[in-house]
Amino acid sequence: DSSGAVGSSDVVILLHGFPTSSYDWSKIWEGLTQRFHRVIALDFLGFGFSDKPRPHRYSILEQADIVEGLVRHLGLRQHRINLLSHDYGDTVAQELLHRDDTGGRHGSHPGLLAQVSMEHIPGWAAPGSPVTGVSLSVLQYINQRKQHRKRWVGALMSTSVPLHLIYGPLDPVNPHPEFLQLYKKVLPSSTVSVLDDHISHYPQLEDPMGFLNSYLNFINSF
C-alpha cells in the first residue's frame, strides 16, 4: 500500500496471478505511484505471504470477498477503484465486475469500479494446465471457471466499466491469434494493447516499460 502522485485521487488495486504473489507487480510499482494517489496490492489467500489454511476450499468468490473486505478496511468504499489484474486475478476481477453490476454478492454495495485492465484470461480460449507442487484445493479455481463461466464471461459482456486487455502474443495459455480473435469478437467494446512478439504470459515482468505505457495510455484516455 503506497501513497503516490500528489493531486490525484485515483486508486489502483493490483490482483496477481497463479501461482505467484503481489511481487509480480514489483517492476512497475514505482511507475504506478507516479500516476496514482494510492497503489495497493495483496497476496490472495493461499499465495505469497498470506495464510494457507488446510483443509480449505479456496474459491474465487472468497478471494473477491477478501478484496471487498480490504477496500472496506482501508476506507475506500466511496472511492472509484481501478483494477489491474493478471491470470487468476482476472477471474477475481470478473467476479467483482459481476457484483459491481448487480449490487454485490448479496446485493448490498454500490458500484465502485472505474476501469478494469486484464493481462490474459487463462482457460478462456484454451484449458489451463495443472501446475505440479501446488495444493489441489487452490487449483479448484479451474473447475470454478467452468462452473461459473456464464456468470464471469457475462460480467465482461454486460459491464459498463471500461475494459482493456494487455496481451503478449507468445502467451502459451491463450495462443495467438485465436485468443485475440475470440476476445475481440466477444468484447468488441474493450480496447486492446498487443505487446512485442516475444512477450509471453508475464508481460509486467518481461516488458515492464511496454506494459506500463500500455496501461497508462488506457488510464489517461479518461
Side-chain angles (χ1 to χ4, degrees):
D1 183 359
S2 293
S3 298
V6 176
S8 171
S9 61
D10 291 349
V11 176
V12 61
I13 296 179
L14 313 177
L15 307 179
H16 70 80
F18 177 93
T20 48
S21 71
S22 57
Y23 190 74
D24 287 352
W25 308 108
S26 60
K27 289 188 177 181
I28 63 169
W29 193 268
E30 183 177 353
L32 291 173
T33 62
Q34 294 174 11
R35 169 59 178 79
F36 291 94
H37 171 67
R38 199 163 179 181
V39 182
I40 299 163
L42 70 153
D43 290 349
F44 287 123
L45 187 70
F47 298 80
F49 288 109
S50 288
D51 288 350
K52 301 167 184 66
R54 293 184 182 183
H56 189 79
R57 187 183 182 278
Y58 295 87
S59 77
I60 295 297
L61 298 179
E62 181 185 32
Q63 304 288 21
D65 289 344
I66 289 170
V67 175
E68 290 189 320
L70 179 64
V71 168
R72 288 193 299 270
H73 175 73
L74 296 177
L76 298 174
R77 280 180 58 84
Q78 303 307 314
H79 285 69
R80 288 169 61 82
I81 305 294
N82 299 281
L83 288 182
L84 177 55
S85 63
H86 174 239
D87 188 87
Y88 181 94
D90 289 343
T91 310
V92 179
Q94 287 171 259
E95 171 60 20
L96 292 169
L97 272 175
H98 172 78
R99 298 179 187 190
D100 192 71
D101 284 350
T102 60
R105 184 173 182 178
H106 305 292
S108 61
H109 77 71
L112 297 173
L113 301 182
Q115 284 93 31
V116 175
S117 301
M118 301 168 290
E119 303 169 58
H120 319 292
I121 309 177
W124 222 47
S129 301
V131 179
T132 58
V134 178
S135 169
L136 291 178
S137 57
V138 175
L139 278 169
Q140 285 303 310
Y141 79 94
I142 296 173
N143 293 330
Q144 292 166 33
R145 281 191 175 135
K146 297 175 183 177
Q147 178 184 354
H148 298 294
R149 186 181 189 281
K150 183 177 180 181
R151 174 189 183 104
W152 290 335
V153 175
L156 293 174
M157 296 175 67
S158 64
T159 186
S160 59
V161 174
L163 301 174
H164 186 70
L165 172 71
I166 303 175
Y167 180 68
L170 207 59
D171 178 17
V173 180
N174 293 304
H176 186 270
E178 293 83 3
F179 170 77
L180 209 54
Q181 291 168 350
L182 175 62
Y183 183 88
K184 290 180 177 179
K185 179 180 179 180
V186 175
L187 300 173
S189 62
S190 173
T191 53
V192 175
S193 294
V194 180
L195 302 178
D196 290 346
D197 289 346
H198 66 283
I199 304 303
S200 183
H201 190 66
Y202 280 85
Q204 75 275 40
L205 296 174
E206 299 170 50
D207 182 16
M209 188 55 66
F211 176 87
L212 184 64
N213 287 338
S214 296
Y215 180 56
L216 294 182
N217 285 339
F218 167 64
I219 290 296
N220 292 335
S221 67
F222 297 94

